[in-house]
Amino acid sequence: MADTTPRATSNRSTTPGSSTFKDYIGSQWAERERPLPEPREQAPYAAARRARISELHPGRTIVVPAGQAKVRSNDCDYPFRPHSTFAHLTGWGTDTVVGSVLVMTPTATGHDATLYFRATAGRDSEEFYANPEIGEFWVGPRPSLDEVAADLGLATADLGELDAVLADLDPTVLLVREADTELTRSLDERLGSTVGGAPEQDGAPATDDVLARDLSELRLVKDEYEVHELRKAVAATGSGFDDVIADFGAVLDHPRGERIVEGTFNRRARADGNTVGYDTIAASGHHACILHWTRNDGAVQPGDLILIDAGVEVDSFYTADITRTLPVSGTFTDVQRMVYEAVLEAADAAFAIVKPGITFRQVHATAMDVIARKTAEWGFLPGTAEESLQQDNQFHRRYMVHGTSHHLGLDVHDCAKARREMYIDGVVQAGMVFTIEPGLYFQQDDLTVPEEFRGIGVRIEDDILVTEDGAENLSVGIPRTPSEVEGWIARSGR
């Protein structure tokens, strides 16, 4: 593809442009020793994933872009993160070069995969010093084609050669459409808007939507490398929670203590991983009843519960997703503990049934049985638990409107384009990783509950690995029972 990188700073550039300066800045540089790396650990796993997609789409060219940087404001971009499918099929992680494209070309026996990316530029090029978007002086050096080929076990080519490759594609090409909107637009124009097509039916050829579905379903069962990375993400997340509790003094002292919680956790995410896997929820008091409270601009008061939903994304982009609800003063009140223990009972009941062979929806149903029974016992429902659990009633869902589980991996809500019959109605298999996260949320103005319950929100969320004969709670080491939580806070000196 032609280099169309914008020069957003051209109207204020003071970079010299004379031939004398160009000759000078391009000379007298020492040679760098750049030995070829050994293949990274994830390279064979990524190759196996490509092979599985190749089997599903024989004879079709498959184009998987990493994507472009996204503008935050004017000439400032958000930190670049490649599309998760690109990460899954290459294993390049945080080293990914912006704008890269993986092309899988069909052969008689499968596919040949080639990674196109903008390789390092020579120091005699103007890009080297004058391009603030990609120049080495500005953003650091890029790897060579040979280095990446050795690193990932993939054939590589310069991005400048991609235009010729794309020009030869026929309308049967399959593309990950949302990864790079400009590339998608270009291919649609070139191929007469046939990329994407209609949904697969009656044996018709697969479309981009089918490819997206297959790529999502490929991630439903994790390989051993993915599980290892998720364990790393969970461990780093546990350290982040430790940091937050140790910082409770500063949290209570600041008028926007929720922001201190967020900042403390995010510091750990950057230190031990790539960043957070999603915007941290630091919801104190009645904010805990707002399910996606990410403004985090409230005070944290003595006596509050604070609900912290946070996860570290490691350098391979696998993320944890864990929630703990903590009594800021160190101990639960009687009502807070009652609510917390009900949520814990729901979580434990759901975990107890997880094993290969159950359906995914049974996890949610089991947790809801407990939520319905508890809220009925407390007199909050207009009927019995059994009546509430009937499909047309669901009164207990007033206090927990979200689901209990979602798949977890490269995306915090992983496998999002999988078919319903493979996801919510799917059969649980060994190697799946998903959350269990029941909660109870009593809004501060909810007249169906006694006043002492209003403004209390509790969620407990753990990351669960399905094993051959049951399940493992990957985050069980992060305190989760009321007594464990109180002891955790006490050990921090609070």
Side-chain angles (χ1 to χ4, degrees), residues 46 71-72 134 137 150 159 177 191 194 196 220 258 282 377 404 470:
V71 175
R72 180 182 185 275
I134 62 174
F137 257 61
L159 190 64
R177 297 185 64 81
L191 301 174
T194 56
L220 283 167
E258 292 174 342
E377 286 177 5
T404 302

Side-chain angles (χ1 to χ4, degrees), residues 337-352:
R337 180 180 278 263
M338 183 166 65
V339 175
Y340 190 99
E341 288 179 338
V343 174
L344 182 65
E345 183 177 334
D348 288 347
F351 175 75

Side-chain angles (χ1 to χ4, degrees), residues 150-275:
D151 186 14
L152 301 181
L154 265 171
T156 57
D158 191 88
L159 190 64
E161 300 176 21
L162 184 59
D163 268 341
V165 174
L166 298 181
D168 288 338
L169 293 178
D170 63 41
T172 66
V173 61
L174 295 175
L175 169 68
V176 177
R177 297 185 64 81
E178 72 276 11
D180 189 325
T181 55
E182 179 59 28
L183 178 59
T184 297
R185 183 196 61 77
S186 175
L187 280 176
D188 281 348
E189 289 180 354
R190 182 175 295 163
L191 301 174
S193 298
T194 56
V195 180
E200 181 184 36
Q201 55 183 351
D202 300 328
T207 65
D208 292 344
D209 289 341
V210 175
L211 175 66
R213 178 200 75 190
D214 291 343
L215 289 165
S216 269
E217 292 175 0
L218 179 64
R219 287 155 51 185
L220 283 167
V221 176
K222 271 56 181 179
D223 59 42
E224 61 181 351
Y225 173 79
E226 293 176 288
V227 172
H228 173 71
E229 293 299 291
L230 286 164
R231 290 186 189 278
K232 283 168 52 178
V234 168
T237 300
S239 296
F241 277 100
D242 289 338
D243 295 343
V244 167
I245 291 175
D247 220 13
F248 265 179
V251 169
L252 286 162
D253 287 344
H254 199 281
R256 295 203 289 182
E258 292 174 342
R259 291 275 172 94
I260 305 302
V261 171
E262 177 185 350
T264 296
F265 186 87
N266 289 7
R267 179 183 62 194
R268 175 63 66 174
R270 288 292 284 161
D272 287 5
N274 177 44
T275 185

Side-chain angles (χ1 to χ4, degrees), residues 456-477:
I456 292 178
V458 173
R459 180 163 66 252
I460 303 168
E461 179 179 18
D462 288 291
D463 300 343
I464 310 303
L465 167 66
V466 184
T467 62
E468 294 294 338
D469 57 359
E472 176 188 352
N473 184 340
L474 299 177
S475 48
V476 72

Side-chain angles (χ1 to χ4, degrees), residues 291 361 364-365 367-369 371-373 375-376 380-382 385 388-405 424 437-443 446 448:
L291 300 180
R361 66 167 55 249
H364 175 70
M368 288 301 95
D369 285 346
I371 296 297
R373 177 166 49 80
T375 50
F380 298 171
L381 305 182
S388 186
L389 286 165
Q390 293 176 15
Q391 189 60 43
D392 290 341
N393 294 331
Q394 300 289 300
F395 305 123
H396 56 286
R397 295 298 301 275
R398 178 185 180 112
Y399 314 112
M400 182 186 155
V401 298
H402 62 80
T404 302
S405 297
I424 186 66
E437 50 177 307
L440 281 169
Y441 314 91
F442 303 114
Q443 303 289 335
D446 189 342
T448 68

Side-chain angles (χ1 to χ4, degrees), residues 402-413:
H402 62 80
T404 302
S405 297
H406 59 78
H407 281 270
L408 182 67
L410 282 167
D411 294 329
V412 66
H413 297 134

